[in-house]
Amino acid sequence: MQERIHILWDTLSDFEARQTEQAATFLMQQLCALSGAWNATWAGAMRLDSSARNDPLQGWRVGAVQALLPVASAPEEQHFRDILKVWEKREIDPSFLLPMREVGTFRSYAFRRDLPAEWFTSAFYQRHYESVGIRDALFVAFPINEDSESHFGFYAREPFSEADGRRLVYAMRGIKWFHRRLMLSHGLLTASTPLTPTERRVLQLLLTEASEKEIGRNMEIAPSTAHQHVSSVFRKFGVRSRAGLMSVWLNPLRR
């Protein structure tokens, strides 16, 4: 099984920087097949206010989410975004406290393993999970720095076995470079604010040799509009040129 995961890592590294979202989809597909999960998500979390003493979530917010498959009756990632809306309102469900355990360290947490039996009779579980065929969920959290983390979640129709959990943890542990790339692609590390969907498309093209005119043609927007988006991406990353942007992507971040 380790050899299969090593091959997965090698294949993942073959994706170009501009193909980060496609690479995440590939990774989630492979790990679902490896663990018996039927769906998966990635979420980029940021701590916006580390001094929030009365906040049980310690100032953490989810800045971006990507789902492998849309949940029935909910377009794209909307089902998972609805859960995040409850998180943002600070209507605390016990499941929200799981990622706060040992925050800042590499860790995993799971519904069936870590939540009490009575939670599975709660209205929250029945509405957001049981109703769409999720009987268990296992998450792997990877800290990028003290104020940002990458979380992958896997959803199954039956409880995960200990062996499934070990495989997922092992697969996630060896790819810090990819966790970091995912965060960068959504503007969740050095960027001043998360990138908009349009800015993420522009970023993908900036990581190629496409000129601003070619970016405009590719996105079917005017050159002046493309320039505005490029300038916005540069500004959010705190750089003045494509060379500066590339240095952000190629140089590892330090705490």
Side-chain angles (χ1 to χ4, degrees), residues 145-189:
N145 58 40
E146 62 184 9
D147 293 317
S148 62
E149 293 191 341
S150 170
H151 291 242
F152 275 86
F154 301 90
Y155 307 89
R157 293 187 172 90
E158 298 296 335
F160 285 103
S161 68
E162 289 186 11
D164 289 333
R166 286 194 298 269
R167 293 187 192 106
L168 290 172
V169 168
Y170 182 79
M172 291 285 101
R173 191 70 178 92
I175 50 172
K176 181 175 182 177
W177 66 271
F178 186 67
H179 289 279
R180 178 180 178 274
R181 181 180 289 182
L182 268 170
M183 298 292 283
L184 278 172
S185 71
H186 287 80
L188 300 181
L189 285 181

Side-chain angles (χ1 to χ4, degrees), residues 12-77:
L12 189 66
S13 68
D14 289 337
F15 283 85
E16 298 177 13
R18 64 184 177 85
Q19 298 175 308
T20 301
E21 290 189 22
Q22 297 94 315
T25 296
F26 167 78
L27 177 61
M28 289 189 285
Q29 288 173 335
Q30 296 300 308
L31 293 181
C32 281
L34 195 69
S35 65
W38 69 270
N39 204 358
T41 55
W42 169 78
M46 304 175 294
R47 180 161 51 190
L48 301 182
D49 183 5
S50 58
S51 64
R53 296 180 180 178
N54 297 324
D55 180 4
L57 302 180
Q58 301 175 33
W60 285 91
R61 300 291 192 277
V62 176
V65 63
Q66 178 181 343
L68 175 59
L69 299 173
V71 172
S73 77
E76 298 181 347
E77 292 92 9

Side-chain angles (χ1 to χ4, degrees), residues 15-245:
F15 283 85
E16 298 177 13
R18 64 184 177 85
Q19 298 175 308
T20 301
E21 290 189 22
Q22 297 94 315
T25 296
F26 167 78
L27 177 61
M28 289 189 285
Q29 288 173 335
Q30 296 300 308
L31 293 181
C32 281
L34 195 69
S35 65
W38 69 270
N39 204 358
T41 55
W42 169 78
M46 304 175 294
R47 180 161 51 190
L48 301 182
D49 183 5
S50 58
S51 64
R53 296 180 180 178
N54 297 324
D55 180 4
L57 302 180
Q58 301 175 33
W60 285 91
R61 300 291 192 277
V62 176
V65 63
Q66 178 181 343
L68 175 59
L69 299 173
V71 172
S73 77
E76 298 181 347
E77 292 92 9
Q78 189 57 47
H79 176 82
F80 300 101
R81 292 185 186 279
D82 287 343
I83 297 173
L84 293 178
K85 288 178 181 178
V86 182
W87 172 291
E88 292 291 341
K89 292 178 181 178
R90 292 317 197 239
E91 297 174 6
I92 304 301
D93 180 82
S95 62
F96 292 172
L97 300 178
L98 291 181
M100 307 314 301
R101 298 178 183 177
E102 300 182 15
V103 66
T105 66
F106 178 81
R107 63 203 184 279
S108 71
Y109 49 99
F111 286 174
R112 294 286 170 178
R113 185 185 72 198
D114 299 320
L115 288 170
E118 56 265 26
W119 183 78
F120 295 91
T121 63
S122 69
F124 187 87
Y125 166 73
Q126 293 173 354
R127 176 184 177 185
H128 294 291
Y129 296 105
E130 186 177 52
S131 65
V132 295
I134 297 173
R135 294 198 63 228
D136 197 8
L138 186 148
F139 301 83
V140 181
F142 203 119
I144 308 301
N145 58 40
E146 62 184 9
D147 293 317
S148 62
E149 293 191 341
S150 170
H151 291 242
F152 275 86
F154 301 90
Y155 307 89
R157 293 187 172 90
E158 298 296 335
F160 285 103
S161 68
E162 289 186 11
D164 289 333
R166 286 194 298 269
R167 293 187 192 106
L168 290 172
V169 168
Y170 182 79
M172 291 285 101
R173 191 70 178 92
I175 50 172
K176 181 175 182 177
W177 66 271
F178 186 67
H179 289 279
R180 178 180 178 274
R181 181 180 289 182
L182 268 170
M183 298 292 283
L184 278 172
S185 71
H186 287 80
L188 300 181
L189 285 181
T190 59
S192 55
T193 57
L195 301 180
T196 67
T198 298
E199 288 168 346
R200 290 205 303 273
R201 288 184 61 194
V202 170
L203 173 62
Q204 291 172 1
L205 292 167
L206 282 170
L207 295 173
T208 70
E209 296 181 354
S211 65
E212 285 191 10
K213 287 185 178 180
E214 290 169 333
I215 290 173
R217 285 199 297 270
N218 185 284
M219 298 182 62
E220 298 181 345
I221 56 178
S224 58
T225 304
H227 177 73
Q228 291 175 359
H229 288 309
V230 168
S231 298
S232 179
V233 170
F234 287 166
R235 183 170 60 253
K236 286 188 175 183
F237 277 93
V239 299
R240 297 182 178 180
S241 65
R242 187 176 301 205
L245 181 68

